[in-house]
Amino acid sequence: MAVTTPDGSTVHTSLGQGWGRSFDMKWVIIGLCIVVVAWLALIPLGFLIWQSFASTSTAQVPAVFTLENYATAFGTTDSLGLMFNSLKFAFGTAAFALVLGTFFAWVNERTNTPFKSLFFAMSIVPLIIPGILFTVSWIMLASPQIGIFNQIFRDWFGLATPLFNIYSLTGMIWVDGLHYAPIAFLLVTAAFRSMDPSLEESALMSGASVVQVAFKITLKLAWPAILAAFLILFVRGIESFEVPALLGLPVGLRVYTSAIYDAVHSYPSDIGLASAYAMALLLVTSLGIYYQSRLSSQGSRFSTVTGKGFRPRVSDIGRWRYAAAGIFILYCIFVVALPFLVLFWASLQKYYAAPSWAALHNLSFAAYGKVLAYPGFYGVVWNSAKLAIGGATVVMLLTSVICWITIKTKIPGRWVLDMLASLPLVFPGIVLGLSLMIFYLNFDIGIYGTLWIMLMAYVIKFLPYGMRYNSTSMIQIHKELEESAAMSGASWFTIFRRIVLPLLKPGLMAGWIYIIVVSVRELSSSILLYSPGNEVISIMIWEFWQNGQYIELSAFGVMMITALFCFLMVVQTLSKRFGVKDV
Amino acid sequence: MLSVENLSTTYQAPGAKPVLAASNINFSVPTGRLFTLLGPSGCGKTTTLRSIAGLERPSKGVIKAHDTVVYSSAGNIFVAPNHRQFGMVFQSYAIWPHMTVFQNAAFPLQVQKKRLSGKDIRDKVMKVLAAVSLDHVEEREATRLSGGQQQRLALARALVMEPRLLLLDEPLSNLDAKLRDKMRFELKKMQRELGLTTIYVTHDQSEALALSHEIAVMNEGKIVQIGSPRDIYERPANTFVADFIGTTNFVEGIVRGGTDDRLVVDTRIGQLNVNAQPGVSIGANVSLSIRPEDVHLSDTAPAPSSNSLFIGTVRAKVFLGECQDFKIDVNETQLLARAHPSVRTLVGEQIHIAIDPEKCTLLAA
Ligand SMILES: Nc1ncnc2c1ncn2[C@@H]1O[C@H](COP(=O)(O)OP(=O)(O)OP(=O)(O)O)[C@@H](O)[C@H]1O
Ligand SMILES: [Mg+2]
């Protein structure tokens, strides 16, 4: 057993004695986990890199080494525009979401604004309304042709040209930024809460006004955390697929993710080019994640955490609190009420029509019946359920062992394991889908075109989430709890199953539920991996959209949102301990 | 000048029972005086101080500073903390880590209503930094200061705004013992020189005794005694105060007789003479507090005087350098005594005890 430090050696000899008999079992499981994680995280990535240097092979001409993909991906004015668009979109989205989220965090944590209890409830909304439904609902609200807003302005104010155009960069930033704002809210709230309240109180006592305190003290102190939140949002923005695909592609406004989709789906598909785009995208996300992790680890200079448990007092912002509440309510309307209502409205129609008195006479539940009777509907739901539950279970169990290794042992090189399991953070969904697709097309082990490859994609994509949930609770398990079990003669496997896993339960359950919910709405990897016959829910919505079946889409969306909502409510009431939060 | 009348503050966390952290607090502090709130942890000192600062909103009462009402529940007046112009030093110092020493100290001048020129600000800040001897590190990042320097910076920041009232919440508790003594001395000197009306919060009785003009001892959200340090030490109003203010011997007894200014109390250690007190009559059960340093020990019998005299057996003694602590059995009751190192009596031997009637504090039993 490798022992590096005197401190480590005591741990290991004591564990080693207790586990002498089941030595094999322990190392088999650990070894297996390492191999699986390495396989999952590295193989597709490596192959993607290789593929980006290969020319397109045909039956006659085998693939050869080439830089041509990169020349096309980076060397043309077209590709420069693509990069520029991607950065502009991601930057705008992150900035918009951050401004909203930070404002709400400050209002919620530091002021006496009414309706504050709603803020946290609102932060699970992006979980409940999948990106594709949110985007579609905003098309129904603000597209130049069918958008309700535009019709209202035309009918009421006689405007000739549509006022809002969702098919634009601004529209894309608006929709994605609104959707990501709760993530910013949660991240910044965490930073505000870890602040020593007396830092702000002493500014107040110095005579600074509430706004001066906010800008000169609170925001400045939270700055590293806010910057880190910005980078996280930026990476999310650049990985975003639904919004660019639905809002950008129709008007030729392409970003990397939609360009990859385009390259794969054009005829003949250009895998080399898609891979080169994917490499560019990976470069950006890696940089973002790298700086974000550096920021988070070097925050010590500004570390403002004290042992004091009481929250800072809230400031009375007078009449402004109604303005703050107003902005928040407006936000709720934009992000929940209107999207849901417009989908609900559409689902009650026979043919899609904007709300009007005339259309009110045509209400029917026919669309729901149609969806329920849709060929393959139950298969699709069943596929999604299998994938979500299977993926969540695999991820949480796998990462529990990995976290145990990285946190509870002193095995040299365990940081590599930690890094491998966190590596998928930099894979945009579409890049992950692409790399798995290429790899298993070339090395046919019979999983391409089955649910298994999608399961693999989900497991890879959500590994980092599992790591986060498990490591938080693993750190809290005192090592003596395990050691006393070992002294009682339990084998490693028994200790893990009877002691570690039960103690991890809150984290395990929270992560499991979170992964189930995000799996059900996963689109960007699935879109490149599904094949007819094994669609999942999000793909079915995508297909409805492509076929122009808006009514069915809306009915399906309403059912899905309601189901997810009920699922979360049931889970929350079953156990108050499993906080489901998106961070 | 500060006056606090009938102040009560309640914490109401959502979904929790309200905590009455300060109840019916009354006191007033004349201009230029240092007033201390003293009491055990959790007794509501910080709450009272924060209510005066305006950082907590009291549930009732009146707070007046220099004849302006800053809070009145009846008048529905609540002046926001940033408009009260009270300087405050927090227990954690609350030095802003993203600013230099100079920027920290200049902040109150930069945010105040009255705009000052850059030069004026600089002059004022350097003057107060010099007063706390930090002028040589003005450009340093504030986090790169030692504990004592941070404490002085916090003080400078509170002083630079020329506050109407200085509020200090355990400002010395984060320092080590040596530094604490030194800073205590400097704090006292500065407060006396500037003549700033100051409210000082501490749970350290020796700090309170050393610094204050007047002390309010608090327990469970209430003030239990207000008085000068000497008053409180020598005439504790009840057992809690006597116990909290320092180690003391409590001796129970019954008043047997006496003259107009002297009472004779029968106790388990023998008859004790004490100063008479209004309202205590013959036959009453009383409790006496006698400080260990007021139990005079001698190897030989002392000359007769008005002091009560006893003989006891030394049970234990600890040599502390400047003094020795004794445990002495007198008629099967234990007395603590602090004596001069010259006392030579060994453990197990008999020792002579004299107690001055002036130093026996009579407490309501
Ligand atoms: N924000 C708060 N919310 C709820 N209860 C509080 C809050 N602040 C203080 N309390 C409670 O009020 C009581 C008095 O607290 P306070 O901080 O005034 O004590 P203190 O005398 O300053 O003690 P210490 O010497 O430990 O600082 C305590 O019981 C405390 O738990
Ligand atoms: Mg306190």
Side-chain angles (χ1 to χ4, degrees):
Chain A
M1 221 175 290
V3 171
T4 44
T5 63
D7 175 44
S9 70
T10 53
V11 174
H12 273 262
T13 43
S14 72
L15 292 183
Q17 280 158 9
W19 300 350
R21 267 180 302 136
S22 57
F23 183 80
D24 290 340
M25 188 61 171
K26 175 187 176 187
W27 291 102
V28 166
I29 292 183
I30 293 179
L32 211 63
C33 286
I34 296 176
V35 171
V36 167
V37 170
W39 171 269
L40 289 177
L42 288 181
I43 301 290
L45 182 68
F47 200 73
L48 182 72
I49 297 175
W50 184 70
Q51 192 70 34
S52 67
F53 289 106
S55 66
T56 314
S57 63
T58 59
Q60 293 83 35
V61 196
V64 291
F65 177 82
T66 178
L67 288 175
E68 206 175 304
N69 295 322
Y70 283 94
T72 329
F74 292 102
T76 63
T77 46
D78 207 28
S79 61
L80 277 182
L82 182 63
M83 173 182 298
F84 202 56
N85 273 344
S86 304
L87 294 180
K88 263 200 305 201
F89 168 62
F91 190 90
T93 300
F96 180 43
L98 192 67
V99 168
L100 271 181
T102 307
F103 174 72
F104 290 141
W106 179 75
V107 165
N108 186 34
E109 290 295 309
R110 297 292 196 263
T111 71
N112 62 342
T113 302
F115 306 122
K116 284 202 302 195
S117 53
L118 272 178
F119 280 52
F120 272 92
M122 284 304 301
S123 62
I124 61 165
V125 161
L127 273 178
I128 296 181
I129 304 188
I132 183 165
L133 287 178
F134 191 67
T135 316
V136 166
S137 64
W138 268 95
I139 294 177
M140 293 178 179
L141 286 171
S143 97
Q145 294 83 31
I146 60 169
I148 294 171
F149 287 167
N150 286 320
Q151 296 193 0
I152 289 174
F153 275 94
R154 194 191 56 210
D155 296 348
W156 294 3
F157 303 103
L159 291 183
T161 50
L163 197 57
F164 304 102
N165 182 7
I166 204 75
Y167 296 108
S168 64
L169 193 62
T170 326
M172 286 161 61
I173 290 174
W174 170 259
V175 173
D176 237 13
L178 276 184
H179 205 217
Y180 286 155
I183 298 174
F185 168 75
L186 290 174
L187 289 170
V188 178
T189 297
F192 282 1
R193 288 205 174 158
S194 67
M195 210 176 274
D196 179 353
S198 61
L199 289 170
E200 286 158 74
E201 288 170 352
S202 58
L204 209 57
M205 294 308 294
S206 302
S209 67
V210 173
V211 173
Q212 276 173 324
V213 174
F215 279 98
K216 294 192 175 200
I217 308 289
T218 319
L219 286 183
K220 288 265 172 65
L221 283 173
W223 190 242
I226 292 179
L227 213 57
F230 178 82
L231 287 171
I232 290 174
L233 292 165
F234 182 81
V235 169
R236 290 251 179 162
I238 206 142
E239 293 180 356
S240 169
F241 173 71
E242 288 90 337
V243 167
L246 293 187
L247 299 182
L249 279 185
V251 290
L253 201 108
R254 296 175 347 135
V255 299
Y256 279 131
T257 49
S258 51
I260 292 172
Y261 175 78
D262 231 15
V264 174
H265 277 247
S266 56
Y267 189 81
S269 61
D270 195 340
I271 302 294
L273 183 65
S275 310
Y277 284 150
M279 293 307 294
L281 193 48
L282 269 181
L283 189 75
V284 179
T285 54
S286 309
L287 277 177
I289 296 287
Y290 171 72
Y291 279 110
Q292 184 256 324
S293 64
R294 271 222 350 210
L295 259 180
S296 313
S297 62
Q298 52 129 256
S300 60
R301 188 172 79 91
F302 274 33
S303 111
T304 50
V305 187
T306 61
K308 214 167 159 176
F310 297 118
R311 294 255 201 94
R313 62 189 289 281
V314 294
S315 301
D316 186 353
I317 53 171
R319 278 169 299 135
W320 289 105
R321 66 184 193 274
Y322 299 116
I327 295 178
F328 177 65
I329 290 171
L330 208 60
Y331 173 76
C332 292
I333 290 175
F334 281 153
V335 88
V336 191
L338 284 178
F340 186 79
L341 285 178
V342 77
L343 285 180
F344 188 58
W345 168 262
S347 73
L348 296 179
Q349 298 289 301
K350 288 209 185 67
Y351 310 99
Y352 182 75
S356 63
W357 286 119
L360 208 54
H361 297 297
N362 293 329
L363 295 187
S364 84
F365 282 101
Y368 291 89
K370 256 200 215 161
V371 170
L372 292 175
Y374 205 76
F377 170 80
Y378 295 100
V380 165
V381 172
W382 180 228
N383 281 344
S384 272
K386 276 190 292 191
L387 281 176
I389 294 173
T393 311
V394 172
V395 166
M396 292 317 290
L397 289 181
L398 189 61
T399 52
S400 67
V401 177
I402 296 168
C403 282
W404 184 82
I405 297 174
T406 58
I407 291 170
K408 295 287 170 189
T409 73
K410 306 271 189 232
I411 299 175
R414 61 192 186 285
W415 62 272
V416 177
L417 200 55
D418 194 9
M419 204 199 68
L420 282 180
S422 310
L423 191 63
L425 271 185
V426 304
F427 297 164
I430 192 124
V431 173
L432 183 64
L434 179 70
S435 56
L436 285 175
M437 179 185 97
I438 308 172
F439 185 74
Y440 292 101
L441 268 176
N442 282 277
F443 295 89
D444 190 7
I445 55 167
I447 68 168
Y448 183 77
T450 67
L451 277 186
W452 291 105
I453 195 167
M454 290 169 81
L455 181 71
M456 186 177 270
Y458 289 11
V459 167
I460 298 177
K461 187 168 181 181
F462 300 131
L463 263 184
Y465 298 159
M467 288 295 288
R468 191 153 39 212
Y469 277 101
N470 271 326
S471 64
T472 319
S473 9
M474 186 69 84
I475 287 170
Q476 293 165 0
I477 302 181
H478 200 283
K479 70 170 193 284
E480 285 172 5
L481 294 173
E482 287 172 62
E483 285 170 351
S484 57
M487 294 314 289
S488 321
S491 69
W492 178 83
F493 188 68
T494 311
I495 296 176
F496 201 80
R497 200 171 46 88
R498 299 273 308 274
I499 309 288
V500 178
L501 285 184
L503 288 172
L504 275 183
K505 210 165 111 199
L508 273 179
M509 289 307 292
W512 191 69
I513 290 157
Y514 178 67
I515 294 176
I516 287 182
V517 175
V518 289
S519 296
V520 171
R521 15 159 262 187
E522 208 295 326
L523 175 67
S524 54
S525 307
S526 317
I527 194 97
L528 294 184
L529 294 175
Y530 82 96
S531 48
N534 57 27
E535 289 95 344
V536 292
I537 289 176
S538 56
I539 296 295
M540 192 163 164
I541 297 179
W542 174 264
E543 287 183 339
F544 278 144
W545 179 254
Q546 298 299 332
N547 302 338
Q549 293 166 284
Y550 301 161
I551 314 297
E552 290 85 345
L553 184 154
S554 304
F556 195 18
V558 168
M559 286 193 275
M560 180 179 178
I561 294 172
T562 316
L564 279 179
F565 182 77
C566 294
F567 174 69
L568 283 179
M569 284 303 123
V570 167
V571 165
Q572 291 265 327
T573 36
L574 276 187
S575 172
K576 287 263 178 237
R577 282 189 307 174
F578 313 149
V580 179
K581 281 177 194 155
D582 185 8
V583 175
Chain B
M1 151 80 191
L2 169 82
S3 87
V4 175
E5 291 161 29
N6 301 326
L7 177 80
S8 295
T9 302
T10 313
Y11 290 112
Q12 177 65 76
K17 271 214 303 203
V19 180
L20 183 59
S23 83
N24 211 15
I25 304 286
N26 281 288
F27 63 84
S28 71
V29 185
T31 306
R33 289 306 175 107
L34 193 150
F35 184 88
T36 296
L37 294 169
L38 174 67
S41 184
C43 70
K45 310 177 293 283
T46 299
T47 305
T48 310
L49 193 76
R50 289 170 60 85
S51 305
I52 296 170
L55 292 172
E56 306 294 346
R57 203 186 171 111
S59 38
K60 75 179 180 41
V62 179
I63 302 172
K64 268 190 264 177
H66 299 285
D67 295 326
T68 32
V69 177
V70 292
Y71 173 74
S72 158
S73 52
N76 206 10
I77 299 169
F78 180 82
V79 177
N82 49 329
H83 295 143
R84 293 193 182 190
Q85 216 196 330
F86 295 170
M88 181 158 177
V89 175
F90 290 78
Q91 190 171 355
S92 64
Y93 308 145
I95 298 297
W96 298 306
H98 60 299
M99 299 182 185
T100 65
V101 171
F102 182 87
Q103 287 167 338
N104 261 282
F107 185 87
L109 300 179
Q110 286 160 351
V111 296
Q112 74 181 12
K113 281 253 157 52
K114 202 176 79 193
R115 289 270 166 244
L116 291 175
S117 72
K119 193 182 160 304
D120 284 349
I121 290 183
R122 181 152 197 96
D123 288 348
K124 283 186 184 230
V125 171
M126 289 318 287
K127 212 171 101 192
V128 45
L129 282 182
V132 296
S133 15
L134 282 179
D135 42 345
H136 61 292
V137 290
E138 53 153 329
E139 286 311 324
R140 199 173 298 173
E141 271 178 50
T143 44
R144 296 179 199 274
L145 293 181
S146 69
Q149 287 173 323
Q150 290 197 15
Q151 197 271 345
R152 279 181 281 160
L153 177 55
L155 187 62
R157 188 176 62 190
L159 293 178
V160 76
M161 58 196 283
E162 291 162 15
R164 299 194 295 167
L165 191 66
L166 184 60
L167 307 175
L168 306 168
D169 190 357
E170 313 224 7
L172 304 181
S173 66
N174 281 341
L175 303 178
D176 61 58
K178 261 230 175 81
L179 198 56
R180 191 158 24 191
D181 286 344
K182 182 164 162 274
M183 290 310 298
R184 176 196 295 176
F185 178 74
E186 290 191 3
L187 205 61
K188 183 168 181 175
K189 203 174 105 201
M190 194 161 285
Q191 192 270 334
R192 301 295 195 264
E193 277 169 7
L194 296 173
L196 266 174
T197 315
T198 304
I199 313 290
Y200 191 97
V201 162
T202 182
H203 63 258
D204 178 339
Q205 54 275 37
S206 56
E207 208 166 281
L209 295 170
L211 283 172
S212 327
H213 290 111
E214 205 166 25
I215 298 176
V217 183
M218 292 186 68
N219 186 26
E220 295 179 350
K222 294 188 181 66
I223 290 185
V224 288
Q225 185 175 6
I226 296 186
S228 71
R230 221 188 162 78
D231 266 357
I232 295 218
Y233 197 62
E234 294 180 343
R235 279 179 290 284
N238 55 32
T239 36
F240 172 80
V241 177
D243 206 18
F244 184 75
I245 282 292
T247 37
T248 187
N249 296 292
F250 290 116
V251 183
E252 258 92 66
I254 299 170
V255 180
R256 280 286 170 242
T259 59
D260 277 352
D261 50 11
R262 276 289 149 78
L263 295 176
V264 178
V265 181
D266 231 357
T267 71
R268 296 182 60 180
I269 62 169
Q271 284 208 335
L272 267 167
N273 299 326
V274 301
N275 281 350
Q277 248 181 38
V280 179
S281 54
I282 291 173
N285 281 317
V286 293
S287 162
L288 304 174
S289 154
I290 309 162
R291 299 272 176 201
E293 55 268 42
D294 295 329
V295 177
H296 289 288
L297 300 181
S298 50
D299 299 327
T300 53
S305 65
S306 63
N307 291 354
S308 324
L309 301 177
F310 309 96
I311 292 179
T313 315
V314 178
R315 279 284 157 244
K317 70 173 185 176
V318 184
F319 184 69
L320 296 173
E322 293 163 40
C323 58
Q324 326 181 62
D325 276 355
F326 281 81
K327 276 189 187 154
I328 300 163
D329 274 357
V330 189
N331 296 339
E332 281 154 28
T333 302
Q334 198 164 65
L335 275 188
L336 300 175
R338 174 160 287 192
H340 195 262
S342 63
V343 177
R344 296 268 172 225
T345 311
L346 300 175
V347 174
E349 294 179 356
Q350 299 233 307
I351 198 165
H352 296 269
I353 302 167
I355 296 172
D356 184 349
E358 304 282 339
K359 305 282 172 146
C360 293
T361 312
L362 208 126
L363 308 169

